[in-house]
Amino acid sequence: MKIFISSARKGLVKERDALGPLITALGHTPVRFEDFSAQTVPSREACLRALESADVCLFLLGPFYGHVFPETGQSATHDEWVAAQEAGKPSFVYRKEGVEFEPDQHDFVRILEAYATGRFRDTFRTSEDLTIKIVRKVRELETAASPLAFAKIVQQPVLHWSSDDGASRVASDRDPPLELHVLPLDFPGYSARELDHLGASLMERIRATRMIGSDVALNAIRSDGYVGVSIPASRSRSWNTPQEGETAECRLYKTGQLSIRATLPRDSGGAILDADVLPQQLAGLLRFAGALKIIQADRIVVAAGVLTEMLMSVDTFDPRRSRQSYQPIGPGRSGRQLRTEPDESVTLAALGAGAAEVAPHLAQVLILRARQ
């Protein structure tokens, strides 16, 4: 495993210096900024890139918050915590006892302790104490079974798709054509009171994920059978400027189904189904669904769909420039819904650590059906 170690160095020098050799001796790879060679990118960006490649993240909380970056108004450790949660990385927090936290660090610890419970957070007093606990945690991770497990389902689940809202309408570039659905298995559904309660907390849950810009206005929506929030585009759109896909809407149905809708990458030639980009986008939507902390069932059903539009094509998206030529998927196919048909349930890990494994299959099915 690649094990990322995140903390301010000040106040934790002994601990950081001890963990690198320890993790190596255990047969794994420590990832620390102390070991980075010269980089062509800023140190903050180098750390975040290293975190992306890690399998597990260890967060050490000492007395000092660390340097605050003007880009985010947060320390490196705080930025890395947010990035780890967005990526669904297994994260374990160790707080040093017997020290006084400076104000910013005290506030950061409160954030982590509000999120972390039981198995996520532990404490230590000395570097020796910490190394013993890290050895136990690493051995536990080595022997743990994969959290992602699939099982066949006997009966097709009943899902609500966007085309159910009006299949006869023609899709346009104003619609979010990509949708991801998560349905908890053997779930009795929400009462009207429970749905109201969850609807009232939905905006706050979306903000708490840190996956939507703090400057983006959110709008509550409600209809028969569901509550939701619409998420306007974070940037103004120009017809000839390439635009990356963005999360556009979140709905929670009375049945327990959680649906996330998003725009696809597009340029002047229309929306693009990119075989490399689509799996990444779907994995991000899966993690977003998990970060909302609404679905708690042991097993879930996951499905994805694309509502085709007139100029949609299977192609390569370039965020720097629009294509000069393209081949639409076919005339007269606008408004057709491409769907995955789930025949398996999967463990809840699909909305976190397993998202990168689940998403490619969904993307492959959608692109194959677009080409047929």
Side-chain angles (χ1 to χ4, degrees), residues 313-353:
S313 56
V314 178
D315 210 334
T316 300
F317 173 69
D318 187 338
R320 295 164 297 182
R321 58 179 178 269
S322 290
R323 297 164 293 166
Q324 298 302 307
S325 63
Y326 51 91
Q327 180 64 49
I329 58 176
R333 299 174 68 188
S334 180
R336 174 183 172 221
Q337 186 143 51
L338 313 174
R339 302 178 179 181
T340 64
E341 299 295 342
D343 58 2
E344 291 180 311
S345 66
V346 65
T347 44
L348 195 59
L351 305 186

Side-chain angles (χ1 to χ4, degrees), residues 162-170 307 334-336:
S162 63
S163 58
D164 298 337
D165 297 334
S168 60
R169 67 178 174 83
V170 176
L307 188 64
S334 180
R336 174 183 172 221

Side-chain angles (χ1 to χ4, degrees), residues 121-193:
R121 185 177 66 82
D122 206 339
T123 58
F124 66 95
R125 285 191 171 272
T126 66
S127 60
E128 292 79 10
D129 182 24
L130 176 64
T131 55
I132 291 171
K133 293 186 175 185
I134 295 300
V135 169
R136 289 174 182 166
K137 178 54 66 178
V138 171
R139 293 307 187 205
E140 177 187 317
L141 292 169
E142 288 172 343
T143 58
S146 171
L148 195 67
F150 297 87
K152 290 183 179 179
I153 51 179
V154 177
Q155 188 173 359
Q156 274 282 347
V158 177
L159 294 170
H160 187 102
W161 297 86
S162 63
S163 58
D164 298 337
D165 297 334
S168 60
R169 67 178 174 83
V170 176
S172 71
D173 61 6
R174 296 179 183 274
D175 296 314
L178 179 63
E179 55 194 90
L180 177 83
H181 306 299
V182 181
L183 180 68
L185 203 62
D186 300 324
F187 183 71
Y190 297 113
S191 67
R193 178 190 59 81

Side-chain angles (χ1 to χ4, degrees), residues 10-11 100 114 130 154 243 283:
K10 184 179 179 182
E100 184 176 349
L130 176 64
V154 177
Q243 301 281 344

